[in-house]
């Protein structure tokens, strides 16, 4: 019984998420087709055996057993003048006889609605729950860094940059990145008194989500200290005497400001005795730890050896600031754009083999993550749904036959040539596209099973 309940905790959120995404996608095609005067014979959610059907004035609506897709069957999808289609179709309602711009909009409406759904979900989250923020208070400050040089100290709260109010850490970082390295006037509060100072950001190297280095501007301060929230029993940190609540201030005498910075340095020191300077109970002590060498995979999929000591940071307590409807929509658009860029760049890196193809996930992984997010609450599940909606939109816009992007690509060719590709060429392209998508699905499911350690069944 427990196993069944556990499975349902993943299956139910998965079906809900996928069902919403497919419904919105196909609804986009359906609504724009009807608006353009195209007849719709069937609107189906799912594939396979039909579980439920009802007929409207012109359209048959179906709910089928396999919730991994859907389709809108329009009248006259193949041009009868090319020998496509069968039966009698009202020319006024034929998809293939509509002007090219109308056909383009009908096909684009599916992924377009997935983008709209993402914006709507993000905007609703920003209005109802709010935007997660950190205070603009400086915690650790790097010795000799821009903030220290400007006279700022731990505990100072930045309230403005060049007279523009700053309420949260993200606002401060946005102003710093926009500075281009130029000196800015910083307004801050210390001991209840407002003061001002000039601060010049320093250029640093940071790693993005894909592990690639890029340049950024830094003030040499962070919003919270490097405090240990968990020490794994039996791991090097536990053996060295590190405790929950310890604050790491330096590694081998070099100051560390963030947990990411600490982890990056430890990963480079597998098997090497490493001195950590710790603050504990108001005092400072030095602890020597030897990072354990473990195997991991880099961004490109290659196996690498890194060091780990078995600690986790204290969870960051975030505040949530609600936005008004207009601001929330704008923030929703920006967040959707950010997710779109990350998705597109990630796909390109996989295609160019700079990112491992093992990162490709399928329905099992989506079900796992959906279940995990559902356990964290409705807001987390909604955020995940919006992110997957963007992914679905981007994937559907790829110029692969069988996908919406493939149809749009054919329309572009038609616009350039002044006439469509022959029916035979389109049919061959559709068959090739179907084969490629089938291979991709098999590969994605294999990756999912490999993550669950079921890959041995395929060896």
């Amino acid at each position: 019984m427990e196993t069944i309940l556990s499975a349902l905790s993943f299956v139910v959120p998965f079906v809900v998420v996928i069902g919403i995404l497919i419904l919105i996608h196909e609804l986009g095609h359906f609504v724009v087709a009807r608006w353009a005067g195209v007849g719709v014979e069937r609107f189906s959610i799912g594939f396979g055996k039909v579980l439920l059907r009802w007929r409207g004035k012109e359209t048959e609506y179906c709910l089928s057993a396999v919730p991994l897709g859907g389709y809108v069957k329009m009248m006259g999808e193949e041009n009868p003048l090319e020998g496509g289609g069968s039966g009698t179709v009202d020319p006024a309602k034929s998809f293939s006889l509509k002007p090219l711009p109308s056909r383009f909009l009908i096909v684009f409406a599916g992924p377009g609605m997935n983008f709209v759904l993402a914006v709507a979900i993000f905007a609703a989250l920003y209005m109802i729950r709010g935007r997660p923020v950190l205070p603009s208070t400086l915690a650790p400050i790097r010795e000799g860094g821009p903030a220290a040089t400007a006279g700022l100290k731990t505990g100072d709260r930045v309230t403005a940059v060049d007279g523009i109010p700053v309420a949260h850490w993200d606002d401060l970082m946005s102003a710093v990145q926009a500075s281009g390295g130029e000196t800015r006037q910083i307004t801050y509060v210390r001991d209840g008194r407002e003061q001002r100072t000039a601060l010049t950001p320093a250029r640093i190297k940071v790693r993005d989500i894909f592990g690639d280095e890029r340049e950024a501007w830094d003030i040499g301060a962070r919003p919270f200290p490097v405090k240990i929230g968990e020490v794994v029993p039996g791991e090097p940190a536990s053996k060295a005497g590190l405790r929950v609540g310890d604050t790491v201030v330096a590694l081998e005498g070099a100051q560390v400001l963030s947990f990411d910075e600490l982890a990056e340095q430890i990963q480079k020191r597998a098997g090497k005795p490493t001195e950590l300077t710790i603050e504990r109970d108001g005092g400072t002590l030095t602890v020597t730890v030897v990072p354990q060498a473990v195997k991991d995979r880099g961004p490109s999929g290659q196996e690498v050896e890194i060091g780990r000591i078995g600690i986790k940071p204290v969870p960051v307590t975030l505040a949530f600031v609600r936005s008004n409807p207009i601001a929330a929509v704008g923030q929703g658009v920006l967040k959707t754009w950010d997710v779109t860029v990350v998705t597109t760049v990630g796909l390109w890196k996989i295609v160019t083999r700079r990112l491992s193809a093992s990162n490709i996930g399928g329905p099992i992984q989506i079900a796992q993550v959906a279940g995990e997010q559902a356990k964290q609450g409705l807001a987390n599940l909604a955020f995940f749904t919006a992110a997957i909606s963007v992914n679905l939109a981007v994937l559907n816009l790829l110029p692969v036959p069988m996908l919406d992007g493939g149809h749009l690509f054919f329309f572009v060719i038609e616009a350039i040539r002044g006439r469509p590709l022959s029916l035979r060429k389109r049919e061959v392209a559709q068959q090739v596209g179907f084969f490629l998508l089938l291979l991709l699905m098999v590969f994605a499911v294999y990756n999912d099973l490999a993550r669950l350690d079921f890959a041995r069944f395929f060896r």
Side-chain angles (χ1 to χ4, degrees):
M1 186 65 180
E2 184 178 344
T3 303
I4 294 175
L5 292 176
S6 178
L8 287 176
S9 69
F10 291 100
V11 172
V12 173
F14 169 74
V15 172
V16 170
V17 169
I18 293 299
I20 291 173
L21 298 183
I22 293 171
L23 175 62
I24 293 298
H25 182 95
E26 300 303 336
L27 198 60
H29 292 310
F30 177 78
V31 170
V32 177
R34 295 293 293 268
W35 170 78
V38 174
V40 178
E41 297 178 1
R42 175 178 284 192
F43 180 95
S44 177
I45 300 299
F47 295 109
K49 183 179 179 180
V50 176
L51 303 178
L52 181 66
R53 76 171 79 218
W54 65 98
R55 180 171 291 279
K57 182 178 179 181
E58 180 182 75
T59 307
E60 180 185 43
Y61 301 90
C62 301
L63 181 63
S64 298
V66 183
L68 294 178
Y71 63 92
V72 173
K73 180 174 175 52
M74 289 172 276
M75 295 180 180
E77 290 187 1
E78 295 297 344
N79 194 330
L81 300 178
E82 298 178 307
S86 60
T88 303
V89 176
D90 181 355
K93 294 185 177 182
S94 173
F95 171 80
S96 61
L97 298 180
K98 289 295 179 181
L100 183 58
S102 297
R103 284 180 280 144
F104 191 97
L105 284 176
I106 292 170
V107 173
F108 180 78
M113 279 300 294
N114 284 122
F115 284 123
V116 172
L117 174 64
V119 171
I121 292 176
F122 286 136
L125 287 173
Y126 291 140
M127 283 188 290
I128 298 171
R129 185 183 66 168
R131 177 170 61 100
V133 296
L134 290 168
S136 57
T137 301
L138 309 182
I141 294 179
R142 191 180 303 281
E143 297 172 3
T149 302
L152 295 169
K153 297 180 179 180
T154 296
D156 289 346
R157 180 170 59 86
V158 178
T159 58
V161 177
D162 282 347
I164 300 174
V166 166
H168 311 291
W169 187 261
D170 284 350
D171 301 331
L172 173 59
M173 288 298 98
S174 295
V176 170
Q177 298 311 314
S179 70
E182 296 182 0
T183 300
R184 292 289 186 256
Q185 292 298 314
I186 303 296
T187 304
Y188 62 97
V189 174
R190 178 188 297 169
D191 298 329
R193 292 193 307 123
E194 188 174 87
Q195 303 181 50
R196 291 178 177 80
T197 187
L199 184 149
T200 305
R203 192 192 301 270
I204 62 169
K205 298 281 188 179
V206 297
R207 293 190 180 277
D208 61 19
I209 190 173
F210 301 109
D212 294 335
E213 276 195 350
R214 61 180 179 83
E215 290 187 341
W217 297 102
D218 184 56
I219 63 173
R222 297 294 182 269
F224 48 85
V226 188
K227 182 168 286 190
I228 298 175
E230 181 181 343
V231 178
V232 181
E235 294 294 313
S238 176
K239 295 175 181 178
L242 290 172
R243 302 176 187 174
V244 172
D246 288 347
T247 298
V248 183
V249 296
L251 182 150
E252 288 292 305
Q255 192 178 9
V256 291
L257 297 191
S258 69
F259 203 89
D260 287 342
E261 187 178 329
L262 173 64
E264 184 177 355
Q265 294 303 316
I266 287 176
Q267 287 176 4
K268 299 175 182 178
R269 300 185 62 83
K272 299 177 182 178
T274 302
E275 286 191 352
L276 298 180
T277 304
I278 305 296
E279 288 183 353
R280 178 189 297 171
D281 300 329
T284 301
L285 66 151
T286 300
V287 175
T288 299
V289 60
V290 181
Q292 180 181 0
V294 298
K295 299 293 185 181
D296 198 7
R297 290 195 177 275
S300 60
Q302 79 280 14
E303 193 174 73
V304 294
E305 185 178 86
I306 63 173
R308 284 183 182 158
I309 62 174
I311 60 173
K312 295 181 181 179
V314 169
V316 178
T317 302
L318 297 171
F320 290 89
V321 178
R322 294 178 180 176
S323 303
N324 62 59
I326 295 176
V329 171
Q331 291 163 356
V333 170
L334 290 176
K335 188 63 180 178
T336 300
W337 173 253
D338 289 342
V339 177
T340 301
V341 170
V342 170
T343 302
T344 305
V345 172
L347 283 172
W348 177 249
K349 286 183 176 292
I350 290 175
V351 170
T352 56
R353 304 184 68 178
R354 287 187 290 165
L355 194 64
S356 173
S358 63
N359 289 283
I360 297 175
I364 297 175
Q365 186 182 22
I366 295 175
Q368 275 189 305
V369 179
E372 292 167 0
Q373 296 303 312
K375 292 177 182 178
Q376 299 297 320
L378 182 59
N380 288 57
L381 183 61
F383 190 95
F384 174 72
T385 301
I388 293 297
S389 188
V390 173
N391 277 258
L392 179 62
V394 172
L395 288 173
N396 262 283
L397 288 174
L398 295 177
V400 177
M402 289 293 293
L403 296 178
D404 292 331
H407 292 290
L408 296 176
F409 183 63
F410 288 151
F411 293 156
V412 171
I413 293 175
E414 181 179 342
I416 295 172
R417 298 175 73 235
R419 65 183 186 281
L421 288 174
S422 68
L423 178 60
R424 177 57 183 162
K425 289 180 180 178
R426 297 202 302 274
E427 287 176 342
V428 171
Q430 297 281 13
Q431 292 168 359
V432 172
F434 175 77
F435 179 72
L436 292 175
L437 291 177
L438 184 61
L439 284 180
L440 179 62
M441 178 58 72
V442 171
F443 182 73
V445 171
Y446 176 84
N447 280 345
D448 289 349
L449 294 176
R451 294 186 188 96
L452 295 174
D453 199 26
F454 289 156
R456 63 182 182 274
F457 293 121
F458 296 91
R459 292 172 183 163

